[in-house]
């Protein structure tokens, strides 16, 4: 697949702060990764960062944790459920159901940027996960980027994602062996990096910047943290406060 240059594809990534798992309220009444949190982010004019898990029937849903209990009160793994079973559950005692990725795309409809993290599923085929995500994107028209901590998922996104969708690495760590592994992913080709702000700056990000690639960071929880992070990062992923746009 022919991919456009990162500078052309990924410049919009730095335009707006990204609301971490949507503009939720700490799961009091607007749960993380819910359609309500996405709607709130759209209304406020922020980009949306969200997480995808791969259900047992091969359908991607918007959900962060591997286990169900924290967000739904139910025991078990989210990946053992079908998408119909997962979306029948509600989040954090609210009336908000677990959304399908397709439902999130229909709600956002290109109005704000989407930063989509694919959660690692080592017992599943990475290619199948990415192909299901790509299928959901077939008719989507809007700024959207894909990323993962998982190098295999990043590789699958790089080879199968639409050329219009930047592919990045979500990353953390400060030790030489950790940064060396990130260097390997960078050498294969990335369009951006989203890094843990607590481990910035570092030599890996120096190389990312030298290549002219956007640097995002997570998760910023105050204006003071945002100010420090922006010394290294081009844009932030935030929660718990509302940064200026």
């Amino acid at each position: 697949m022919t991919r456009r240059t990162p500078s052309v594809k990924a410049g919009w990534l730095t335009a707006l702060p990204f609301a971490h798992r949507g503009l939720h309220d700490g799961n009091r009444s607007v749960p993380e990764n819910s359609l309500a949190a996405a709607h709130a982010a759209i209304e406020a004019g922020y980009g949306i960062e969200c997480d995808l898990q791969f259900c047992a029937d091969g359908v991607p849903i918007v959900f962060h944790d591997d286990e169900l209990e924290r967000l739904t009160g139910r025991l078990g793994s989210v990946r053992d459920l079908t998408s119909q079973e997962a979306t029948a559950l509600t989040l954090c005692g609210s009336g908000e159901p677990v959304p399908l990725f397709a439902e999130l795309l229909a709600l956002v409809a290109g109005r704000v940027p989407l930063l989509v993290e694919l959660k690692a599923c080592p017992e599943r085929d990475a290619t199948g996960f990415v192909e299901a995500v790509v299928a959901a994107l077939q008719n989507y028209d809007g700024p959207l980027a894909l990323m993962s901590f998982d190098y295999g998922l990043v590789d699958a996104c790089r080879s199968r994602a639409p050329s219009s969708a930047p592919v990045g690495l979500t990353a953390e760590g400060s030790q030489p062996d950790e940064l060396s592994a990130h260097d390997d992913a960078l050498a294969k080709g990335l369009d951006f990096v989203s890094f843990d702000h607590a481990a910035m700056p570092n030599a890996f990000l120096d190389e990312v910047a030298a290549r002219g690639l956007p640097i995002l960071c997570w998760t910023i929880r105050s204006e003071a943290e945002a100010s420090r992070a922006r010394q290294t990062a081009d844009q932030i992923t935030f929660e718990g406060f509302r940064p200026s746009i």
Side-chain angles (χ1 to χ4, degrees):
M1 178 181 294
T2 301
R3 301 184 64 85
R4 285 182 277 166
T5 62
S7 60
V8 172
K9 289 195 305 179
W12 57 262
L13 275 167
T14 62
L16 294 171
F18 288 93
H20 185 234
R21 306 177 194 171
L23 196 61
H24 63 86
D25 63 358
N27 296 332
R28 292 185 294 275
S29 60
V30 180
E32 65 185 65
N33 278 324
S34 66
L35 295 184
H39 179 75
I42 294 166
E43 289 294 301
Y46 294 119
I48 298 167
E49 186 269 353
C50 67
D51 305 285
L52 298 187
Q53 293 275 10
F54 198 33
C55 282
D57 56 355
V59 176
I61 60 169
V62 186
F63 199 85
H64 176 271
D65 295 5
D66 294 338
E67 298 298 316
L68 293 161
E69 186 173 12
R70 180 179 71 90
L71 294 169
T72 72
R74 174 172 168 168
L75 296 177
S77 168
V78 65
R79 293 191 289 269
D80 289 339
L81 302 182
T82 66
S83 56
Q84 184 175 10
E85 291 169 332
T87 56
L89 301 175
T90 54
L91 294 163
C92 304
S94 72
E96 287 289 316
V98 175
L100 296 171
F101 182 41
E103 292 176 317
L104 176 66
L105 295 175
L107 173 67
V108 177
R111 290 181 286 174
V112 297
L114 273 172
L115 184 60
V116 180
E117 181 183 335
L118 282 65
K119 305 304 289 185
C121 48
E123 73 280 11
R124 302 280 175 81
D125 175 37
T127 300
F129 188 6
V130 172
E131 287 178 345
V133 171
V134 169
L137 294 176
Q138 186 172 5
N139 297 313
Y140 189 74
D141 184 17
L144 179 146
L146 301 173
M147 64 183 185
S148 184
F149 280 97
D150 186 274
Y151 299 125
L153 284 170
V154 172
D155 287 343
C157 285
R158 186 186 296 110
S159 63
R160 288 169 171 79
S163 61
S164 59
V167 175
L169 177 70
T170 320
E172 60 186 342
S174 59
Q175 299 305 309
D177 58 337
E178 295 172 303
L179 299 181
S180 177
H182 302 336
D183 283 334
D184 291 342
L186 182 61
K188 291 181 179 179
L190 297 173
D191 298 323
F192 69 97
V193 169
S194 181
F195 213 89
D196 177 6
H197 78 99
M200 301 188 321
N202 57 64
F204 169 70
L205 293 180
D206 289 344
E207 180 59 27
V208 174
R211 296 184 183 215
L213 303 180
I215 298 172
L216 309 180
C217 67
W218 51 273
T219 301
I220 303 300
R221 294 182 171 87
S222 70
E223 288 287 2
E225 285 187 351
S227 179
R228 288 192 296 271
R230 286 189 171 113
Q231 296 176 29
T232 300
D234 301 301
Q235 193 50 271
I236 64 170
T237 303
F238 72 92
E239 69 179 19
F241 77 111
R242 295 197 178 199
S244 59
I245 296 177

